[in-house]
Amino acid sequence: MTRSPRATRTARLAGAPARVGAPAVDESAARRARSASQRSDLAEQLIRGVPARIMRPRLVFLACLVTVVAFGLLMVYSASSVTAMKESGDPTYFLVRQAVFAVLGAGFVAALASRRFPWDLLRTDAIWWLWGVCLVLLIVVALMGAGSRGAVRWINIGNVFTLQPSEFLKPVMILLVSKLLSDYYETESIDTQTFLAKMAIGVVVPLIFIFFQPDLGTTIIIGFTVFVLMVLAGISKRVVVGVFALAAIAIAIAIAIAPYRMERLLMAGDPWSDPYGDGYQATLAIMAFASGGLFGRGIGGSTMKYFYLPEAHNDYILAIIGEELGFFGTLAFFAVFAAMVYAAFAIAKHSPSRYGAFVAEGCATIIMAQFLVNALGILGLIPMTGKTMPFISYGGSSLIASLILAGLILRVSIESNTSAPYEARRARFAVMSEEDAVSDHVGRSTAGEPRVRRGGRSSARTDGFSVYDGAAGRSAPTSDGARRSPFAARGERRGADGGYGRIDLHGDPADRLRDRGPRVRDGRRGSSTSRRDRYDR
């Protein structure tokens, strides 16, 4: 009998030898099978005891983060050396301060990544205390804050450091919104009215203080991040359209009531219309990019930092990057930053809880939004709002807050390896005997009150079943007629085999397995046996 080509191919793929003279096997199917097996094995590999699907984005994120922070220190030194030499006589003045801020931020990252950090505490109402501290700091800024050019955004701490509370509000806001979304969509512990009320208080109130500093850029960045989290949570399209329309109207009104905002909006379209006035910085930034060419002037070779471009080491540091590294160097920097944000979203994807996913997505979104606001503003595509480049621009509050956001993302990645998706729900289950609990659950059984099932065909042989402690055996009836575990009667919480709750069907196992179906003939008239007796012969 000759095999068909399909049968031959199936047999060969299964390891069976094909007959001589049979048609050739389709090697492409075998290659596809081997490739699928290799991909499956790759997904199950472990990297230092952690599944590769979790560890790979974590390593990519860490590598990109270290690269971006180190590159930021280098560019701060390059862009600020001339200004630092003139103001303090030390060309490394801003570099040393930025390095100190980086070390402080790295300390926050290490603390958040530590197993000793009370991560679960952030999911409780304790986050409202952090929110309250940020709100108090915003009130202090409104009453006695420091600033420049008409904006009051900082709190002077001696002559050492200026604290900008709106920067530290970003991670706190993400944690708060993530908790509210998790309570509403994941655990369903709050109703719609409570959710909307808490969102209005937690989000709108601090944004009002930030808006009147005035700081429209930070207001838009935080508001946009909250909006994205609500969309990712699955809010209805009607609410999405309504919130988007209200935000657009609010931004339009904010621009219309402030003449300087309207001038910035008009200047973004044509900065050359007033190159020595409102378009001064924008035109110099464009000139810096143009003079960099494809490969740039080299690190330290910028000419715009010689008191031509104001805030060269702060808001406009991207222009110095474009001048010294050129088009391809700037693209490489963009690629590393994009890889870091992509890895953050990949970390969110593998989070075992929606709360962790919300935190990682919120941190990645706010970092990406601030990056785009700064980059597009320097390129003249949108009005410049004075927002720093995350991890790159000089500034203690900005760098430390950005590293806190990075630390939260890493913490979500670490939490992804500690539990399976259903362990949190399984932890809320409990099994209790009729006399004593057999789990560490306090209170009543999550399965309800224990019941004894009675009646049915087998009621003559079994009078129901109940749950009791320990190994298999018959539960002992008590004086009130209820059944009690034989182990509980001896004062034991668990059985001899260390098992937890068992089910007693109150019948002989052999009797339950014996067939009670119709009788069958055994080939001889008048002689019948059960199927079990017949098959056992």
Side-chain angles (χ1 to χ4, degrees):
M1 178 178 181
T2 304
R3 292 186 178 182
S4 65
R6 182 175 181 179
T8 303
R9 182 166 60 251
T10 304
R12 181 169 297 181
L13 290 176
R19 293 187 58 183
V20 179
V25 178
D26 187 1
E27 294 295 339
S28 62
R31 286 196 299 269
R32 288 195 297 269
R34 288 194 298 268
S35 178
S37 177
Q38 292 173 356
R39 288 195 299 269
S40 178
D41 293 341
L42 182 63
E44 297 302 326
Q45 287 180 356
L46 298 180
I47 302 176
R48 297 183 63 86
V50 180
R53 59 183 174 82
I54 295 175
M55 197 62 169
R56 277 197 299 267
R58 185 190 307 177
L59 293 177
V60 171
F61 181 82
L62 270 175
C64 293
L65 177 64
V66 173
T67 302
V68 169
V69 172
F71 178 70
L73 292 175
L74 175 64
M75 293 310 303
V76 164
Y77 175 62
S78 176
S80 66
S81 58
V82 177
T83 302
M85 188 66 182
K86 180 182 178 181
E87 295 181 357
S88 64
D90 182 8
T92 63
Y93 174 77
F94 292 106
L95 171 64
V96 171
R97 291 175 60 86
Q98 188 76 346
V100 172
F101 298 144
V103 171
L104 291 176
F108 281 104
V109 173
L112 288 169
S114 174
R115 293 289 186 184
R116 297 181 179 179
F117 183 82
W119 174 252
D120 293 335
L121 187 63
L122 298 179
R123 297 195 63 172
T124 65
D125 290 336
I127 189 61
W128 284 99
W129 290 96
L130 292 177
W131 177 87
V133 171
C134 292
L135 185 62
V136 170
L137 292 177
L138 291 175
I139 295 174
V140 173
V141 170
L143 296 177
M144 57 185 72
S148 61
R149 301 178 185 177
V152 180
R153 304 173 183 174
W154 299 272
I155 300 175
N156 282 330
I157 303 178
N159 296 323
V160 180
F161 182 66
T162 55
L163 179 68
Q164 188 173 358
S166 60
E167 290 291 333
F168 294 97
L169 179 68
K170 295 174 182 177
V172 174
M173 184 67 71
I174 290 173
L175 291 172
L176 177 62
V177 173
S178 299
K179 177 190 180 305
L180 294 178
L181 290 175
S182 176
D183 290 345
Y184 184 70
Y185 286 99
E186 185 176 17
T187 63
E188 299 182 357
S189 58
I190 58 176
D191 55 15
T192 303
Q193 293 182 351
T194 305
F195 170 72
L196 294 178
K198 289 186 175 181
M199 286 289 290
I201 296 174
V203 177
V204 176
V205 172
L207 289 186
I208 291 176
F209 282 95
I210 296 175
F211 175 78
F212 284 105
Q213 287 181 354
D215 191 353
L216 181 60
T218 301
T219 304
I220 293 176
I221 290 173
I222 295 178
F224 173 77
T225 302
V226 173
F227 176 76
V228 170
L229 284 178
M230 295 177 69
V231 172
L232 294 175
I235 198 168
S236 65
K237 295 181 179 179
R238 182 178 301 177
V239 176
V240 169
V241 174
V243 172
F244 185 81
L246 290 176
I249 294 173
I251 294 174
I253 294 175
I255 294 175
I257 62 177
Y260 73 92
R261 291 181 182 140
M262 182 61 69
E263 292 176 0
R264 286 183 181 180
L265 181 61
L266 297 176
M267 198 58 58
D270 185 15
W272 299 99
S273 60
D274 189 9
Y276 299 102
D278 294 330
Y280 180 72
Q281 286 180 299
T283 55
L284 289 178
I286 295 174
M287 292 170 61
F289 275 106
S291 61
L294 293 178
F295 301 101
R297 297 175 179 269
I299 299 294
S302 171
T303 58
M304 288 296 175
K305 64 184 179 183
Y306 286 89
F307 311 111
Y308 292 102
L309 181 62
E311 304 292 338
H313 60 289
N314 200 334
D315 299 346
Y316 281 84
I317 195 170
L318 183 61
I320 305 300
I321 294 175
E323 184 182 6
E324 294 187 351
L325 299 183
F327 176 76
F328 290 111
T330 304
L331 283 184
F333 165 63
F334 286 175
V336 174
F337 209 99
M340 181 176 64
V341 174
Y342 178 81
F345 279 104
I347 289 173
K349 178 182 178 181
H350 296 296
S351 173
S353 65
R354 297 195 70 183
Y355 171 78
F358 290 146
V359 171
E361 290 166 349
C363 293
T365 300
I366 205 166
I367 291 173
M368 178 185 64
Q370 186 161 338
F371 175 87
L372 292 176
V373 167
N374 180 271
L376 297 178
I378 292 177
L379 294 175
L381 300 178
I382 62 174
M384 190 63 186
T385 59
K387 295 296 99 187
T388 57
M389 176 70 68
F391 307 105
I392 304 295
S393 296
Y394 172 79
S397 297
S398 175
L399 181 58
I400 294 175
S402 298
L403 287 173
I404 291 175
L405 293 171
L408 291 174
I409 295 173
L410 287 176
R411 182 65 192 203
V412 172
S413 178
I414 293 173
E415 290 294 318
S416 300
N417 192 42
T418 59
S419 61
Y422 300 103
E423 283 190 2
R425 181 177 298 178
R426 190 183 301 116
R428 296 195 294 268
F429 292 167
V431 178
M432 300 180 67
S433 66
E434 298 177 21
E435 295 293 331
D436 196 8
V438 299
S439 70
D440 51 5
H441 182 271
V442 179
R444 63 181 181 83
S445 170
T446 57
E449 298 298 329
R451 295 181 302 172
V452 176
R453 183 175 179 180
R454 304 182 184 279
R457 291 180 55 187
S458 60
S459 59
R461 298 179 176 87
T462 61
D463 55 352
F465 61 88
S466 59
V467 178
Y468 64 91
D469 303 340
R474 188 181 299 275
S475 58
T478 59
S479 58
D480 57 358
R483 289 190 173 271
R484 184 179 182 183
S485 167
F487 302 104
R490 295 196 299 267
E492 300 179 8
R493 291 180 57 84
R494 300 176 66 175
D497 63 345
Y500 287 100
R502 307 295 188 207
I503 297 179
D504 183 15
L505 298 179
H506 303 160
D508 181 32
D511 184 65
R512 291 198 302 272
L513 293 175
R514 185 172 296 115
D515 188 279
R516 300 186 183 88
R519 313 293 286 182
V520 296
R521 296 287 180 179
D522 193 30
R524 298 187 300 273
R525 184 177 298 276
S527 175
S528 64
T529 61
S530 67
R531 289 191 181 96
R532 182 179 179 86
D533 295 336
R534 179 182 180 185
Y535 295 149
D536 287 344
R537 289 181 179 179

